[in-house]
Amino acid sequence: MTTPALAAIRAEALRLGFVACGAATLEPSARGDALDAWLRAGYAGTMGYLPRQARKRKAPETITPGAHSAVVVLENYTPPPNERPQPGDAYKIAGYARGTDYHLVLHGRLHKLAEWMLAAGATVANVWVDDGPVPERELAERAGLGWIGKNTMLIHPRIGSYTLIGTIFTDLALSPDLPPVGDHCGTCTRCLEACPTDAFVTERVLDATRCLSYFTIEHRGEPPAEFHAAWDGWAFGCDVCNDVCPWNVKFAEATVEPEYGMRPHPDRRNPAYFEQLTEAEFAEHFAETPLARPGLDRMRRNTRLAVASRHTERP
Ligand code: SF4
Ligand code: SF4
């Protein structure tokens, strides 16, 4: 059987609903030393899986035995204007978390593409979302799908950065067919200046232990008091360093994938929504959403801090 060319894989990926597709080689990461320095500085906080994954993350060829390249796809989750935070909302939820958990959605679509690749001649087609040791932003950059901006996000020059990255490690010997995009941040520093908690140590270096996404999703217990006034109304995640990016302002177009559409729960107008919910109701409404990760207790904590911060002067 002949093996599929990248152009045929891309055509199938776009047919399945991905907005971009490329191929990356699996040579060692160019950012290995930077990752080690970042971990040594303690910027990963309590995310113990990051140091555990570091060895493979620095050597992508070791992630999937038998793989020689990776197919990299982008999924667009851009919220339409009416699904962004609205005046009168008591708290805010990050755009990627307003619908079904993207791990479920992306895994489903990636597996369809992997099955297609296997049927077309691949013998290895291993699917990864962002729950493994894959340096997906660097692989996407290698695949010509964008550059890693000063806000650490992958930015596609015609799509922006409200995207999710999926990879399929394969034994097919695919070579990138798109030219490198290059760094288009230029002199812009909007994301660094807009961050409510000053979480960027410098451009492309994020101290996760100061980031609202880390606090609202990963951090257990009460966040340090110095951050409470800067909470900026976020009850889950934070979109600020994406929202201010001119590449999103100019180019991001609302997703057409219904799975990412806003669900009726939670009621963002009700500041006591999570306080009033039982565990059974929380499970019923949020089991398949990103909010299941922090769980009800932490969503209560987050919402309390979010609501309070909207009535507090920032320092
Ligand atoms: S997600 Fe929010 S808190 Fe975290 S770095 Fe970006 S702007 Fe700062
Ligand atoms: S806001 Fe400006 S500096 Fe930050 S990622 Fe976007 S283009 Fe780059």
Side-chain angles (χ1 to χ4, degrees):
M1 183 186 287
T2 56
T3 54
L6 179 54
I9 297 171
R10 176 178 292 119
E12 181 62 11
L14 298 179
R15 191 190 70 76
L16 287 167
F18 294 113
V19 291
C21 174
T25 50
L26 300 181
E27 70 269 17
S29 167
R31 295 182 171 84
D33 291 345
L35 174 61
D36 287 339
W38 187 81
L39 291 169
R40 271 198 310 274
Y43 296 148
T46 58
M47 295 184 284
Y49 59 90
L50 290 173
R52 284 198 296 278
Q53 292 175 345
R55 188 177 54 79
K56 286 188 174 178
R57 200 174 277 273
K58 290 187 287 183
E61 72 276 15
T62 65
I63 293 172
T64 295
H68 303 308
S69 65
V71 172
V72 187
V73 293
L74 300 185
E75 175 113 316
N76 175 23
Y77 71 86
T78 307
N82 64 331
E83 296 191 4
R84 292 172 184 263
Q86 303 291 319
D89 284 355
Y91 54 85
K92 300 184 279 189
I93 290 180
Y96 76 84
R98 67 198 194 284
T100 304
D101 186 343
Y102 68 87
H103 295 95
L104 301 174
V105 181
L106 199 44
H107 264 295
R109 227 187 306 282
L110 275 173
H111 276 292
K112 286 185 187 162
L113 184 58
E115 281 164 21
W116 183 92
M117 288 167 57
L118 291 169
T123 56
V124 176
N126 202 3
V127 162
W128 297 97
V129 185
D130 69 353
D131 45 6
V134 178
E136 56 269 309
R137 293 175 195 177
E138 186 172 356
L139 294 186
E141 201 175 44
R142 278 184 200 176
L145 299 184
W147 78 98
I148 298 175
K150 293 178 187 176
N151 62 2
T152 76
M153 305 302 292
L154 180 87
I155 305 174
H156 187 289
R158 291 187 311 284
I159 299 172
S161 66
Y162 297 112
T163 58
L164 307 162
I165 304 171
T167 53
I168 302 176
F169 280 58
T170 179
D171 61 329
L172 300 176
L174 303 170
S175 300
D177 64 347
L178 302 173
V181 171
D183 179 0
H184 289 287
C185 281
T187 57
C188 176
T189 52
R190 284 190 205 182
C191 53
L192 311 182
E193 287 152 14
C195 175
T197 53
D198 295 326
F200 292 103
V201 180
T202 184
E203 53 192 54
R204 298 184 178 83
V205 180
L206 172 67
D207 179 355
T209 69
R210 298 183 64 88
C211 172
L212 292 170
S213 290
Y214 170 82
F215 280 133
T216 56
I217 301 167
E218 304 285 347
H219 185 82
R220 296 170 193 276
E222 190 68 10
E226 66 175 291
F227 295 104
H228 290 191
W231 214 258
D232 196 38
W234 292 97
F236 183 98
C238 166
D239 281 335
V240 172
C241 56
N242 273 322
D243 287 344
V244 299
C245 180
W247 296 88
N248 285 331
V249 174
K250 280 187 209 154
F251 297 116
E253 289 186 8
T255 181
V256 294
E257 300 298 342
E259 300 97 326
Y260 298 120
M262 189 182 271
R263 294 182 169 210
H265 293 277
D267 175 3
R268 290 161 171 76
R269 298 277 162 153
N270 178 5
Y273 175 83
F274 289 103
E275 291 296 339
Q276 293 163 348
L277 218 55
T278 65
E279 285 283 359
E281 288 166 334
F282 183 81
E284 180 188 343
H285 297 317
F286 300 107
E288 292 190 342
T289 78
L291 276 55
R293 183 172 169 89
L296 179 55
D297 280 347
R298 274 191 271 165
M299 284 308 298
R300 285 177 175 159
R301 176 204 67 183
N302 294 347
T303 310
R304 176 174 46 77
L305 288 165
V307 172
S309 70
R310 304 207 115 179
H311 304 289
T312 310
E313 285 290 313
R314 282 191 61 187

